[in-house]
C-alpha cells in the first residue's frame, strides 16, 4: 500500500526551497498552495547556517522571538527538565515542538533531522497541539531505498566546542534499508557549568 498523499520527502527540495508540506492540511500540499503561513527549513539551509537545534533556528523564523523570562535563563539549565527554550510567535505563546507531528518535550537536534517546518498561527490545532502562536515540526531522517549514501561533518565552536556528526544509509535488498545517524557534541563556555 502506497500512501503518497501523506508522505513528504526532502528529495524534491531544491536547495533552500522546499516544495511540499503536511503542515497546511495534513495532506501533502505544495507550499505555494498552502493558505496558512508556513515556512520550511531544508537540511541544506540548516547545514549552511550551522543550526544544530530548534532553539538556534528561532532567530531565522518569521514573526518569532525567544522568550528570555526568568525561568528560561541559560544558567538554570541544570535545574530544569530537557524542554527547549520558550518562543513567542506573532506575539503569542507558541513554538511548541513536535516530531513528525507528535508533541515532544525533548530538544530536537538536527543530526537526525531532514527538515524543520514552522506553522504560524492557530493552524497548529490541526495536529492536536492547539498553541495559538504556532507549531515547530521536526521531520526525522528516514532510510532511502534508492542508494547507499554517507556523510561525516566536523564543526568547531568557540570556547573549545567541537561537534562531529555521521550519517549513513545502507540499502539491503529491494524492500529494506537501514539508516544510522549519530552525533557527539562538546560545548565550552566562559561560564562554568553552563551546559550540564
Amino acid at each position: 500500500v502506497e500512501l503518497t498523499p501523506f508522505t513528504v520527502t526532502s528529495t524534491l527540495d531544491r536547495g533552500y526551497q522546499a516544495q511540499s508540506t503536511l503542515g497546511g492540511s495534513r495532506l501533502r500540499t505544495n507550499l505555494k498552495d498552502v493558505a496558512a503561513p508556513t515556512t520550511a527549513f531544508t537540511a541544506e539551509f540548516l547545514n549552511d547556517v550551522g543550526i544544530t537545534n530548534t532553539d538556534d533556528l528561532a532567530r531565522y523564523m518569521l514573526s518569532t522571538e525567544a522568550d528570555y523570562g526568568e525561568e528560561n535563563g541559560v544558567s538554570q539549565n541544570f535545574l530544569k527538565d530537557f524542554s527547549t527554550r520558550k518562543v513567542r510567535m506573532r506575539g503569542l505563546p507558541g513554538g511548541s515542538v513536535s516530531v513528525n507531528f507528535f508533541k515532544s518535550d525533548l530538544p530536537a537536534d538536527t543530526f537526525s533531522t531532514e527538515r524543520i517546518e514552522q506553522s504560524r498561527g492557530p493552524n497548529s490545532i490541526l495536529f492536536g497541539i492547539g498553541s495559538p502562536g504556532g507549531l515547530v515540526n521536526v521531520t526525522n531522517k528516514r532510510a532511502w531505498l534508492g542508494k547507499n549514501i554517507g556523510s561525516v561533518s566536523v564543526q568547531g565552536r568557540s570556547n573549545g566546542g567541537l561537534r562531529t556528526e555521521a550519517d549513513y544509509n545502507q540499502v539491503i535488498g529491494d524492500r529494506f534499508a537501514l539508516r544510522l545517524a549519530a552525533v557527539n557534541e562538546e560545548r565550552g563556555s566562559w561560564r562554568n557549568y553552563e551546559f550540564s
Side-chain angles (χ1 to χ4, degrees):
V1 176
E2 190 173 346
L3 299 175
T4 54
F6 307 103
T7 305
V8 172
T9 65
S10 63
T11 56
L12 301 175
D13 294 346
R14 289 180 290 198
Y16 293 174
Q17 184 179 12
Q19 299 299 310
S20 58
T21 183
L22 291 175
S25 64
R26 290 191 179 191
L27 294 175
R28 185 183 67 210
T29 309
N30 289 336
L31 269 172
K32 63 180 181 165
D33 297 331
V34 175
T38 301
T39 305
F41 299 95
T42 63
E44 186 171 343
F45 173 79
L46 299 173
N47 289 334
D48 287 351
V49 180
I51 301 293
T52 59
N53 57 48
T54 52
D55 290 345
D56 294 341
L57 184 62
R59 74 182 95 158
Y60 295 97
M61 294 179 182
L62 297 172
S63 303
T64 303
E65 62 182 9
D67 186 2
Y68 295 105
E70 185 175 319
E71 70 219 32
N72 294 319
V74 175
S75 61
Q76 298 179 15
N77 278 350
F78 64 95
L79 297 175
K80 295 176 57 179
D81 58 6
F82 291 111
S83 61
T84 58
R85 183 184 308 142
K86 304 289 187 212
V87 295
R88 297 176 72 76
M89 291 183 181
R90 301 172 50 207
L92 299 169
S96 300
V97 176
S98 65
V99 176
N100 299 324
F101 296 109
F102 289 96
K103 187 169 169 60
S104 173
D105 290 329
L106 296 174
D109 195 294
T110 58
F111 83 95
S112 62
T113 300
E114 204 166 86
R115 72 162 25 169
I116 298 175
E117 295 181 9
Q118 176 196 23
S119 296
R120 296 174 300 283
N123 192 38
S124 63
I125 201 163
L126 279 173
F127 305 101
I129 306 293
S131 175
L135 171 73
V136 176
N137 182 59
V138 176
T139 303
N140 286 342
K141 289 180 178 176
R142 291 174 282 211
W144 295 348
L145 290 172
K147 61 182 175 179
N148 297 332
I149 58 168
S151 67
V152 175
S153 65
V154 177
Q155 185 181 70
R157 300 201 161 198
S158 57
N159 297 310
L162 182 67
R163 179 183 173 94
T164 54
E165 293 182 26
D167 182 13
Y168 184 71
N169 186 78
Q170 176 69 46
V171 178
I172 304 169
D174 293 338
R175 295 178 168 243
F176 188 71
L178 178 67
R179 188 163 188 178
L180 177 67
V183 65
N184 182 35
E185 183 172 16
E186 297 175 14
R187 290 183 159 190
S189 174
W190 58 274
R191 284 192 277 199
N192 293 330
Y193 312 112
E194 181 172 354
F195 302 104
S196 55

